[in-house]
Amino acid sequence: MNSPANPQARILVAIESHLIDRQALQLGAEIAALWQSELVALCVAAQELQHSPAFPFVTEIDRVSAARRELDASRLLSAFRVWRRQVDAQLQRLASVHRISATSEVVPGRLWSDLLPIAGAEDLLLVTGTAAFARHPIARRQRRPIAVLLFGTKRDARVLAIAASLGRGFHADTVAFALAADRAAGERIAATLEEAGDTVARMPCAPGDAARLVQAFEELGCRWLVASRSDLAAFAIDPQPFLMRPNRAALLVP
């Protein structure tokens, strides 16, 4: 495998149950092909839709007449099955084109944090924040910098290696944001960058200054964010403000 990712790692792509984010799946397939990993589409929120008819207070509003009526459980389930078949058909096409394994799983949850329990110890979670990313496939080919967050932890080396590999595959530069909480963490980050050997631009930023971090992403034109999901949780950093801007994606490493 030509990447720092474990051969058993999967590329998990979260998609909402009311749409098929074809470009997000395409992007996930390209990453899976780069590393010869398995692509898994996480069909999120689908279980909520399946269980909603069990609650008597759940109703639906006709989009033409605006009349309120009881929720048709059979119609809802049928629509979900059609959507799932469409997702699987898209995955089969991508698997054939990129020569990878591609499957789907039905999972509850809406935000990236809800999906963390599903992700395995080696899985990489690809999250796109808005549908606008799907409408602009050219965004990932503009060679915009890849922002990688380093915290001075034991996970930094793998996060940096994956970001660098992704950058080489997509012909993009890597910018390391050093979010050191103290001097010792800063020294560990510096040692990780020196050991990596690659020429990586370094941007210091306070771990608690999320607004400044997002502003720096914007100033540099970063479309990608690569970070350890464990470190994001430990330092209480929410990537949603970054993801909710157009043409953004995050690759969350264990």
Side-chain angles (χ1 to χ4, degrees), residues 86-217:
Q86 292 172 339
V87 170
D88 287 340
Q90 178 72 1
L91 289 173
Q92 289 178 10
R93 185 189 70 79
L94 291 171
S96 176
V97 171
H98 296 280
R99 299 182 179 180
I100 58 173
S101 172
T103 60
S104 66
E105 295 181 7
V106 180
V107 298
R110 292 184 181 276
L111 300 177
W112 71 268
S113 55
D114 297 330
L115 306 177
L116 296 187
I118 291 96
E122 299 294 336
D123 292 335
L124 307 180
L125 180 60
L126 175 64
V127 184
T128 57
T130 67
F133 187 88
R135 293 196 294 271
H136 296 279
I138 192 64
R140 66 178 183 275
R141 307 188 192 283
Q142 291 178 341
R143 300 188 180 184
R144 297 297 181 93
I146 296 175
V148 54
L149 304 189
L150 304 178
F151 297 88
T153 71
K154 62 182 180 181
R155 289 171 283 271
D156 282 355
R158 183 163 188 257
V159 171
L160 182 59
I162 288 176
S165 178
L166 186 68
R168 289 191 294 271
F170 284 85
H171 308 289
D173 294 329
T174 303
V175 179
F177 285 81
L179 279 70
D182 51 41
R183 181 175 180 178
E187 291 175 350
R188 289 193 294 270
I189 292 173
T192 298
L193 290 171
E194 183 177 357
E195 185 177 349
D198 291 336
T199 302
V200 179
R202 177 178 172 180
M203 296 284 293
C205 191
D209 194 352
R212 172 56 189 150
L213 188 62
V214 173
Q215 181 182 351
F217 292 161

Side-chain angles (χ1 to χ4, degrees), residues 11 13 22-40 90-91 93-95 97-102 126 170:
I11 307 299
V13 182
R22 287 180 171 82
Q23 292 299 334
L25 290 176
Q26 171 68 29
L27 190 58
E30 292 182 9
I31 297 174
L34 178 65
W35 295 330
Q36 287 302 292
S37 300
E38 178 186 1
L39 174 65
V40 180
Q90 178 72 1
L91 289 173
R93 185 189 70 79
L94 291 171
V97 171
H98 296 280
R99 299 182 179 180
I100 58 173
S101 172
L126 175 64
F170 284 85

Side-chain angles (χ1 to χ4, degrees), residues 147-151 175-180 202-222 224-227 231-232 235-243 245 248:
V148 54
L149 304 189
L150 304 178
F151 297 88
V175 179
F177 285 81
L179 279 70
R202 177 178 172 180
M203 296 284 293
C205 191
D209 194 352
R212 172 56 189 150
L213 188 62
V214 173
Q215 181 182 351
F217 292 161
E218 292 299 306
E219 291 173 353
L220 292 174
C222 297
W224 282 93
L225 169 65
V226 180
D231 286 341
L232 288 178
F235 289 87
I237 294 180
D238 185 1
Q240 284 298 320
F242 167 75
L243 288 172
R245 296 171 183 265
R248 304 294 187 270

